[in-house]
Amino acid sequence: MGTPSPPAVLVLAAALAGLSAPHAAYGQPNFIVILADDVGWGDLGANWAETKETPHLDELAAEGTRFVDFHSAASTCSPSRASLLTGRLGARNGVTHNFAVTSVGGLPLNETTLAEVLREAGYSTGAIGKWHLGHHGRHHPSFRGFDYYFGIPYSHDMGCTDTPGYNLPPCPPCPRHDLAARVARKDCYTEIALPLLENVTIIQQPVNLSSLAARYVEEAARFIQRASDSGRPFFLYLALAHMHVPLGVPPLPPPASGRGIYGASLSEMDALVGRIKQVADSHGKGNTLLWFAGTAGKAAAVAGGDAGGCAALPFSLAGGSSAKQTTWEGGHRVPALVYWPGRVPAKRTSHALLSTLDIFPTLVALAGAELPPNRRFDGLDVSPVLFGWSDVGHKVLLHPNSGAAGKDGGIETLRLAQYKAFYTTGGAMACDGSIGPAEHHQPPLIFNLARDIQEREPLDAASREYQAVLPAISRAYAQALEDIATDNVSLADYSKDPAATPCCNAQHVACRCQAPGSHAAVLDRRTERRATRLCL
């Protein structure tokens, strides 16, 4: 939970005292948060030696600190992003499952985002990439604290494109002519093309997925340059499409790793991160903290992703997934790296129990800002861990249901030190289509991750170890539920209306606003100028 134990408070106080002089000397640092979608813990070579496609990320790990017990706040799209930007679990901020193309609502407007706090503290704020926290009305990122936005409003499989990429099952490209000619495919969006937005304007629909990564790099570099020219510190939130399906087919040949399209897409993501690091360093090495993390473990349907050994094999063999959407380690344990030359130790590996929830309070503290009042936070200021002064993170960490068994957003999995307790398991679809039966456990299943990271064998309920740890787990669980129940809790609007669908030209098939004959890799600037503010 977000309240540290007394020893942790003392460590934190000492650490913050040590921070005061450097902060005064260097001023407010720049922040870049890079969020990779559905990336497996073992998709980094620094985590898993068999991975060969991530030389830039591995270099980032060598020049910074690698966190090996780091977790996404949820194991699906919208809830994980909402928690990162608020420091609060979905049970508090209201975002418990994904928003749709036709969603009217989004992250509740009474929730304060990290961008809003940092902008109030004098930062230039930019969001580039996937949003998926509401695109209609004031839920759009331009009204949630970001001075600049460039990206797609939700996942890139939630709209057709002319470059559909690789998916299982494959999806057809956007229709160009008669609506009746459309081919219906299960799990494929064929009605509306995926839009690309700049601020509140749709500038391309459908977006060209083949060039999207390159455009993200270009826009990120421009944002950093503009912020540097202004003399203000900046916060850049870069939410990548990688490694969410459909996987793009990069223009360069895939690396000779034997991992095919997945390996090629992973290599493209790695090169993108390397380029962002290079741009940041060019504007003053040591001025910018770069934090790389994942949103969730790999999707079960993606061949080639590597959970790095974090998979509950016996349970997945019984039917169902142990990856994204689940609360098994393969669903929420994600790669994480922090790079800040001269401040964050190089070549260090931290075993502290951390979460994407911690990004909000940590960056707020480093910026010299204050947390929003009248609410509780699940994240911690972990700057002492970043600086190598401590390796103590959460004592208790909650893992919400994220689309598998149990109520969406419900807390039925809890981590206490090296122990992990499940009150509910099952319910997620595996790549073979099987769905493990939902099972409720009372007393809970308990695993000792220190010796069973793959969650192969729960502790025997009659064992001395189980009986010794169960009271502490039960107390922590009851306290966590009580803390949430007595907090200032928000409620997201999940209602839908077709009128909320982003569409730049309703008169054209699939809402096209790019001339059908134009080259896919080049945005038609005349079309861009004609594009209207139709996403609101």
Side-chain angles (χ1 to χ4, degrees), residues 167-519:
N167 204 349
L168 291 173
C171 290
C174 279
R176 291 183 177 275
H177 305 296
D178 195 311
L179 298 182
R182 297 182 181 182
V183 179
R185 298 281 179 87
K186 188 175 183 291
D187 300 325
C188 293
Y189 289 76
T190 57
E191 297 296 317
I192 302 295
L194 181 69
L196 177 66
L197 286 77
E198 185 169 27
N199 297 319
V200 296
T201 302
I202 298 174
I203 60 173
Q204 190 180 40
Q205 194 170 11
V207 62
N208 176 15
L209 291 182
S210 300
S211 62
L212 188 59
R215 295 207 66 180
Y216 283 172
V217 171
E218 292 170 5
E219 296 304 328
R222 289 193 185 102
F223 171 79
I224 292 171
Q225 184 64 58
R226 288 195 301 269
S228 298
D229 291 345
S230 73
R232 296 167 62 193
F234 66 81
F235 165 52
L236 172 60
Y237 169 57
L238 177 56
L240 306 180
H242 305 77
M243 298 295 297
H244 196 292
V245 293
L247 300 176
V249 182
L252 298 176
S257 64
R259 298 178 74 183
I261 292 172
Y262 191 91
S265 188
L266 187 60
S267 182
E268 182 184 54
M269 180 190 77
D270 178 74
L272 185 157
V273 174
R275 176 61 181 143
I276 296 298
K277 173 180 176 289
Q278 182 183 43
V279 170
D281 285 345
S282 72
H283 287 274
K285 193 168 185 177
N287 295 336
T288 301
L289 181 156
L290 191 157
W291 199 322
F292 173 91
T295 64
K298 76 177 186 70
V302 178
D306 202 329
C310 302
L313 297 180
F315 294 91
S316 61
L317 290 174
S321 169
S322 59
K324 179 183 177 180
Q325 294 189 309
T326 76
T327 54
W328 299 110
E329 290 296 288
H332 55 75
R333 186 184 288 243
V334 294
L337 308 168
V338 175
Y339 167 78
W340 191 3
R343 306 297 305 280
V344 169
K347 299 180 180 179
R348 176 172 174 257
T349 297
S350 169
H351 294 270
L353 178 59
L354 303 184
S355 167
T356 50
L357 291 161
D358 305 325
I359 293 175
F360 183 109
T362 301
L363 299 194
V364 168
L366 293 174
E370 298 290 334
L371 290 174
N374 305 319
R375 68 203 67 191
R376 298 174 192 150
F377 294 87
D378 298 289
L380 302 173
D381 173 9
V382 297
S383 50
V385 180
L386 300 192
F387 296 138
W389 301 334
S390 167
D391 209 31
V392 177
H394 292 260
K395 181 180 180 182
V396 175
L397 187 63
L398 308 178
H399 299 300
N401 299 333
S402 298
K407 178 184 176 183
D408 286 334
I411 308 299
E412 295 182 276
T413 306
L414 172 145
R415 174 82 178 270
L416 175 66
Q418 76 268 33
Y419 293 99
K420 186 174 174 186
F422 290 82
Y423 290 88
T424 298
T425 58
M429 182 179 291
C431 54
D432 63 0
S434 66
I435 299 178
E439 296 185 47
H440 299 283
H441 307 281
Q442 192 59 259
L445 291 179
I446 301 177
F447 295 83
N448 184 338
L449 298 182
R451 61 172 183 264
D452 184 17
I453 188 64
Q454 291 187 324
E455 299 164 304
R456 291 175 180 268
E457 190 67 38
L459 300 180
D460 183 344
S463 69
R464 181 176 299 178
E465 183 178 15
Y466 185 98
Q467 293 299 321
V469 73
L470 179 61
I473 285 175
S474 298
R475 285 194 301 272
Y477 188 52
Q479 290 169 2
L481 297 182
E482 174 68 15
D483 186 74
I484 292 171
T486 57
D487 192 13
N488 183 3
V489 173
S490 298
L491 184 65
D493 177 6
Y494 277 97
S495 63
K496 299 177 184 179
D497 184 343
T501 302
C503 181
C504 67
N505 193 331
Q507 303 304 312
H508 287 181
V509 174
C511 290
R512 286 184 179 272
C513 65
Q514 180 171 291
S518 63
H519 192 281

Side-chain angles (χ1 to χ4, degrees), residues 16 19-20 23-24 27-29 31 114 117-118 120-123 233 340 360-371 381 383:
L16 291 178
L19 259 182
S20 59
H23 177 77
Q28 293 172 305
F31 302 125
L114 176 57
V117 175
L118 292 179
E120 184 69 21
Y123 278 71
W340 191 3
F360 183 109
T362 301
L363 299 194
V364 168
L366 293 174
E370 298 290 334
L371 290 174
D381 173 9
S383 50

